[in-house]
């Protein structure tokens, strides 16, 4: 199942560390992944163009 509400939003990293990562099997986790990518892309564009808080 691609989206399951019973899945946790965060899951432990599979790299053997104590870090957590977004769970793409949960709709909220998938939304957080998309929002994070969009936010980082907008911030990178603002930095390159010296606009907004980077002016």
């Amino acid at each position: 199942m691609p989206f399951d509400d019973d899945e946790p939003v965060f899951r432990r990293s599979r790299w053997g560390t104590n870090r957590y990562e977004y769970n793409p099997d949960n709709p909220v986790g998938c939304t957080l992944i998309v929002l994070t990518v969009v936010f980082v892309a907008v911030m990178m564009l603002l930095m390159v163009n010296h606009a907004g808080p980077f002016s």
Side-chain angles (χ1 to χ4, degrees):
M1 240 181 184
F3 291 123
D4 188 10
D5 291 333
D6 294 333
E7 286 282 332
V9 176
F10 300 100
R11 65 179 178 195
R12 276 196 179 277
S13 175
R14 295 182 185 166
W15 292 89
T17 61
N18 287 331
R19 296 185 181 195
Y20 285 85
E21 58 187 21
Y22 296 137
N23 188 359
D25 294 332
N26 184 303
V28 175
C30 191
T31 303
L32 287 172
I33 291 170
V34 171
L35 288 176
T36 301
V37 170
V38 169
F39 177 77
V40 169
V42 167
M43 285 303 178
M44 295 292 280
L45 287 173
L46 288 174
M47 284 195 293
V48 167
N49 293 325
H50 299 287
F54 307 105
S55 59

